[in-house]
Amino acid sequence: MDNFTVEATELTRLYGGREAVSNVSFNLSKGEVLGFLGPNGAGKSTTMKMLTGNLAPSNGSVKICGIDMIDNPKEAKALIGYLPEMRPLYKELTVDEYLDVAARLHRVSPKNIKKAIEVAKERCGLGHMSKRLIENLSNGYQQRVGIAQAIIHNPMVIILDEPTVGLDPIQIRDIRALIRELGQEHSVIISTHILPEVEMVCDRVQIIDKGKLVFNGSIDVLKRQRIGNKLLIGLRNPPQADALLKVAGVTEAEVLPSGLVRVRFADDADPAESIVQAAVANQWGLYQIAPDQTSLEDVFVQLTYQDQSIPHQPTGQ
Ligand code: ADP
């Protein structure tokens, strides 16, 4: 069969008759970092709770490395490390004491616990914090401890709910670097409402809105959505719009308040060169010509605030 680490099939969760998550399906492979992106209340946490076996789906199934979460919850959960939105820390313990408890909870065999704690601390940059009480650590270091407990049993799948919320920029940078590193050997799912975070950290992105997946594809596919058939042109002596429409492939020309001209062109056309030639021949005073890209934020807004979804991309490889 396939080698998917996570298979979510038609996951649905009802709260009081309302669908908080509706028919969400996707697969994940080893070595992938998947970003779960969506506005607050979109259904990210609810989906993560179902993936980790902390919440029963109203419908649908979850398999972790082929093991069904409902039929064999113990075995499936043993393959997952989870950091919920509310960190499960015992703040009155030191880092070492807490990771020892976490290792036992995750059923690391007693003879391997010491090594497991060392490895988790090393990976999370906590080596020098061993004897510190967790309550005295900064927010960023507490988050590292939260991630350390999630990876202490070297799980196949790591699920982190909003891992950078509330951190300062330097802490955010460090945690993102850590997530990327973890993604090399595990499958990682992070939820976030921060678009640049997904761009920086993830290989794949799923956008969830009102409980439904509205985009599922590689980050490159998402980026490509913003490159439309548009050029922005700066002309010192702009002609009437008709003159631009005579250039082969140009379908629309619009003068913007900034004085720049936005030109749209047909799918199979690339009129940039012809526009440059026309500008030179007619002395339009061309000083700028560049693709006019929609910002990724605007693509996100289009996906989540309009009922117009991009066709579903096939999941997995
Ligand atoms: P996100 O993580 O994307 O912010 P959530 O998964 O927390 O979104 O919530 C999705 C929707 O489900 C929201 O409308 C939220 O109010 C609702 N919801 C979440 N948990 C519960 C609950 N225990 N009871 C009722 N409604 C809930």
Side-chain angles (χ1 to χ4, degrees), residues 9 73 119-120 122 126 170 176 180 193 228 273 316:
T9 311
V119 172
E122 163 77 31
L126 285 166
I170 293 172
R176 285 178 183 162
R180 275 238 67 96
H193 58 277
E273 245 179 271

Side-chain angles (χ1 to χ4, degrees), residues 65-93:
C65 302
I67 300 171
D68 191 284
M69 182 62 79
I70 291 176
D71 296 342
N72 295 299
K74 254 191 192 167
E75 289 83 346
K77 284 183 190 179
L79 299 167
I80 297 177
Y82 176 40
L83 177 63
E85 208 173 354
M86 303 293 279
R87 292 175 210 141
L89 301 180
Y90 300 128
K91 295 194 177 178
E92 63 279 20
L93 301 184

Side-chain angles (χ1 to χ4, degrees), residues 5-296:
T5 46
V6 179
E7 292 165 84
T9 311
E10 296 176 6
L11 277 184
T12 297
R13 173 70 199 198
L14 294 166
Y15 282 124
R18 264 193 60 233
E19 283 187 343
V21 171
S22 178
N23 217 13
V24 166
S25 300
F26 65 91
N27 298 327
L28 192 64
S29 302
K30 190 175 172 211
E32 275 190 309
V33 180
L34 169 68
F36 224 48
L37 182 68
N40 288 328
K44 303 182 294 295
S45 294
T46 304
T47 306
M48 290 193 148
K49 285 180 196 159
M50 290 191 280
L51 292 175
T52 52
N54 285 284
L55 183 70
S58 307
N59 189 35
S61 69
V62 174
K63 281 187 186 167
I64 307 295
C65 302
I67 300 171
D68 191 284
M69 182 62 79
I70 291 176
D71 296 342
N72 295 299
K74 254 191 192 167
E75 289 83 346
K77 284 183 190 179
L79 299 167
I80 297 177
Y82 176 40
L83 177 63
E85 208 173 354
M86 303 293 279
R87 292 175 210 141
L89 301 180
Y90 300 128
K91 295 194 177 178
E92 63 279 20
L93 301 184
T94 65
V95 171
D96 271 0
E97 287 166 349
Y98 171 69
L99 291 180
D100 186 82
V101 172
R104 286 167 206 279
L105 286 173
H106 283 300
R107 296 173 192 279
V108 177
S109 76
K111 66 176 190 331
N112 294 333
I113 285 181
K114 199 160 173 269
K115 178 80 186 150
I117 294 175
E118 289 312 313
V119 172
K121 281 192 302 189
E122 163 77 31
R123 295 191 82 176
C124 297
L126 285 166
H128 53 307
M129 296 289 172
S130 308
K131 306 289 176 237
R132 296 277 298 271
L133 283 179
I134 293 175
E135 67 185 355
N136 294 338
L137 298 181
S138 68
N139 208 5
Y141 271 98
Q142 290 194 12
Q143 190 69 339
R144 287 172 193 237
V145 178
I147 296 176
Q149 69 75 32
I151 64 171
I152 192 110
H153 52 310
N154 198 23
M156 205 57 162
V157 178
I158 300 169
I159 299 184
L160 309 172
D161 199 347
E162 301 264 5
T164 60
V165 154
L167 304 187
D168 69 34
I170 293 172
Q171 294 165 342
I172 288 176
R173 190 197 57 193
D174 292 349
I175 295 290
R176 285 178 183 162
L178 173 60
I179 293 168
R180 275 238 67 96
E181 199 191 306
L182 292 171
Q184 288 166 14
E185 286 175 34
H186 306 256
S187 295
V188 182
I189 303 179
I190 66 161
S191 73
T192 178
H193 58 277
I194 307 163
L195 195 50
E197 181 152 289
V198 161
E199 273 199 271
M200 275 177 240
V201 174
C202 303
D203 310 299
R204 257 180 56 203
V205 55
Q206 297 194 337
I207 299 179
I208 185 165
D209 182 44
K210 299 186 195 89
K212 293 195 170 70
L213 278 189
V214 293
F215 178 86
N216 178 13
S218 75
I219 194 78
D220 293 337
V221 172
L222 183 65
K223 284 182 185 166
R224 274 205 297 277
Q225 298 293 336
R226 62 188 168 134
I227 306 172
N229 299 344
K230 288 177 288 175
L231 290 168
L232 263 190
I233 304 170
L235 302 169
R236 270 184 247 289
N237 313 308
Q240 295 292 318
D242 304 10
L244 278 161
L245 289 173
K246 284 188 188 132
V247 176
V250 173
T251 55
E252 221 180 294
E254 171 197 5
V255 180
L256 303 177
S258 62
L260 295 173
V261 182
R262 177 182 288 139
V263 158
R264 291 177 195 271
F265 51 91
D267 270 347
D268 50 356
D270 187 2
E273 245 179 271
S274 307
I275 291 171
V276 172
Q277 282 165 7
V280 172
N282 297 296
Q283 300 187 333
W284 291 340
L286 176 73
Y287 63 88
Q288 173 184 328
I289 180 163
D292 179 22
Q293 299 191 351
T294 314
S295 76
L296 215 46

